[in-house]
Structures are given as structure tokens and as C-alpha cells.
Amino acid sequence: MSAPSRFNGVVIDDTFAEAFPMKASRLVITAHTMAWARCAAVSATGFATSVIGCGCEAGIERELAPHETPDGRPGVSVLLFAMSGKELAKQIERRVGQCVLTCPTTAVFAGIPVGAPATAGGEAVALGKNLRFFGDGWQISKVIGGVRYWRVPVMDGEFVAQETTAVVKAVGGGNLLLLARDTDSALGAAAAAVAAMRALPDVIMPFPGGVVRSGSKVGSKYATLGASTNDAFCPSLHGLVGHSELTAQTRCVLEIVIDGLSEAAVAAAMRAGMGAGIALGAAAGLLRISAGNYGGKLGPFHFHLHRLLGAEPA
């Protein structure tokens, strides 16, 4: 590998983020107001930071104006990711049933049309197909343009749900490591990077605020744990562990994990995140940008930082 490069005083490691195949779906949640649509979306994507412990990874993609939604109301698009289509279908039904059906005035629709060219290799899974039974026999269906919708009576009127949604191939685990001189600098760089990424389509950053502080390594001294703290990037362990990736000047490291509907979407998000950090520069306390990988053994998608930048260092 070549030596690290420097952009606006920020060292960019000559390394790569390693990502893996996932399955994903997009849901469009609408409501009487944007506030209620967002309430449902936040609830439906809660406790969904990592498939390791949550079953799926999910997040809000963006807010939608009335002219962008199937029923002409304010809406929010959410993306959900899992390791298998079966698990994703289970998560969709549970989360929509508990968090969208229950939320005042909401409706839910497939954000990726089943059978559309963009869903090549995808499959249809239940959205309102099973939730309709909550109507206790009073539910009715309507087919519009060849698509079936279910109308379920509820106490504020009716809950409308498209019968199915599409599950498609996706990419999970893109990541950036932001190494900074202190907590404020790391938080500022992470916030700027996440904001830049959220402006792009087809990606989410599933951790709280898009950021994770508890980066992990594979394995542990405890046999029951498959992963443990990434000690090489822990500032408090500098000088104590056998191998530290940090210098004494690096006092805070934050990670951003990216899931996307395509390899290109993840690459674009990582590029935007790095650009935001570089724009702040070393003067703002961001010292270095790196990425996590497992030597290429975890997944087939490798996002090389230098290639993503596509420019000679200044």
C-alpha cells in the first residue's frame, strides 16, 4: 500500500471499508401532517442499529412532500436492512404493525414498486397482506393500477396499507473512522459527515445520530462474545495495548456506518462524508480518516478511501 495522503491537513489512510450483501426494502409512511408521519417513522426504525442484536438495521431516508407520495399527503421514506429476506419480512410486519398501524392518521406504501426494473432479483413480501386481519372481517381491498391496497377500520378512520412491498439486494457495513484531537472536534466532524450523507438518496446511517462510538473487533478474551471493543482505536488504551492505531494527540474516535441499496450509493455516501470532514480540516481538530475492514474476509464490497476521493492530495 502507498503512504497515507493528506487533504487540508487531514490524513487519509490508504485502507478500505469492507461491506457485505444484505436485503433491503423501502417503505413510504404518510400521515395527516409531517409531524405524525415522522412519529411513525421514528418509532418504526427504533432499536435497529445493528443486525447483531436488533434483527435489522433501519433509518429514515428523507421526508417527502405531498406530491411525492401515493396518497398526496406528507410522508417519510424509511429503509430497512437485514441479512435475509425472511428476517426482513418478519421485521417489516412487526414494525409496521406495532409502530405505523398504531400511529394516528398514517398509511403505508411500498417505496420500491414490486416488479419494477429497479427491483431485478427482488421479491414481494407482505406489507398490509397480513395486517389486514386486524380489521376483524371489516377490512376491504381495492385494486388500483394492478396494485392491491387494504383499508382497515380504526378509531380515527381507516388505515390504508399496500398489500406487498419489494425486498431487494443491498449493501451493508460501509464505514468511516474519524480520528480527532478531542470530543468536540470529533462530534463536529461526525455531524458534518452525516449531514452530507443524509442529503443523498438510497442510504441510511443506522446508529444514533448516524454515529457509533463503540466500534468493535472480531473476537474477545471472553469465549461467549463474538465481538468486543476495538481497543486499537480506544484513546484511553493508548500505550497499554500491544498495538494502537492512535497517537497521543488523538483523544476521540467516532465511526459512521452506512447501509445502501447499491454499492454505488454506499460509495457516494462515503465520498460525501469524507469531503465534509476534509472541508473542516485539521484546523477544526479532525486529524485522520480511516476505515474498518477484516482483511477482505468479511464481505465482497471493498471501498478504498483513496479511490473514492479520486484526486491527488494537496
Side-chain angles (χ1 to χ4, degrees), residues 237-256:
L237 299 181
H238 176 67
L240 300 177
V241 296
H243 172 70
S244 175
E245 286 284 341
L246 309 181
T247 66
Q249 290 71 43
T250 306
R251 302 308 305 160
C252 187
V253 180
L254 295 175
E255 182 178 9
I256 301 173

Side-chain angles (χ1 to χ4, degrees), residues 113-124:
V114 176
T119 66
E123 58 182 305

Side-chain angles (χ1 to χ4, degrees), residues 2 22 54 91 144 156 170 174 194 207 276 281 297 299:
S2 62
M22 297 186 80
C54 303
Q91 292 289 332
I144 303 174
D156 69 348
V194 169
F207 283 91
K297 298 177 181 179

Side-chain angles (χ1 to χ4, degrees), residues 94-272:
R94 287 178 175 177
R95 290 168 182 271
V96 173
Q98 295 299 311
C99 305
V100 184
L101 168 64
T102 60
C103 184
T105 77
T106 59
V108 65
F109 305 94
I112 303 173
V114 176
T119 66
E123 58 182 305
V125 300
L127 184 52
K129 184 176 183 179
N130 296 327
L131 296 176
R132 76 182 194 268
F133 295 119
F134 182 75
D136 199 28
W138 297 102
Q139 68 273 11
I140 60 174
S141 69
K142 186 79 171 179
V143 177
I144 303 174
V147 177
R148 185 177 297 278
Y149 303 88
W150 285 97
R151 299 167 61 186
V152 180
V154 287
M155 294 190 298
D156 69 348
E158 63 180 18
F159 172 64
V160 176
Q162 191 168 331
E163 183 169 69
T164 61
T165 187
V167 169
V168 298
K169 294 179 180 179
V171 177
N175 68 84
L176 293 174
L177 292 168
L178 306 178
L179 290 70
R181 68 186 176 205
D182 53 39
T183 301
D184 286 341
S185 300
L187 289 172
V194 169
M197 293 177 180
R198 283 180 172 163
L200 300 177
D202 301 340
V203 293
I204 59 165
M205 285 58 69
F207 283 91
V211 183
V212 55
R213 69 170 180 175
S214 56
S216 60
K217 67 177 184 298
V218 174
S220 167
K221 66 182 291 184
Y222 304 104
T224 56
L225 290 181
S228 58
T229 190
N230 195 349
D231 46 54
F233 285 90
C234 291
S236 61
L237 299 181
H238 176 67
L240 300 177
V241 296
H243 172 70
S244 175
E245 286 284 341
L246 309 181
T247 66
Q249 290 71 43
T250 306
R251 302 308 305 160
C252 187
V253 180
L254 295 175
E255 182 178 9
I256 301 173
V257 175
I258 307 104
D259 296 337
L261 295 183
S262 67
E263 186 175 3
V266 173
M270 289 181 60
R271 187 180 300 110

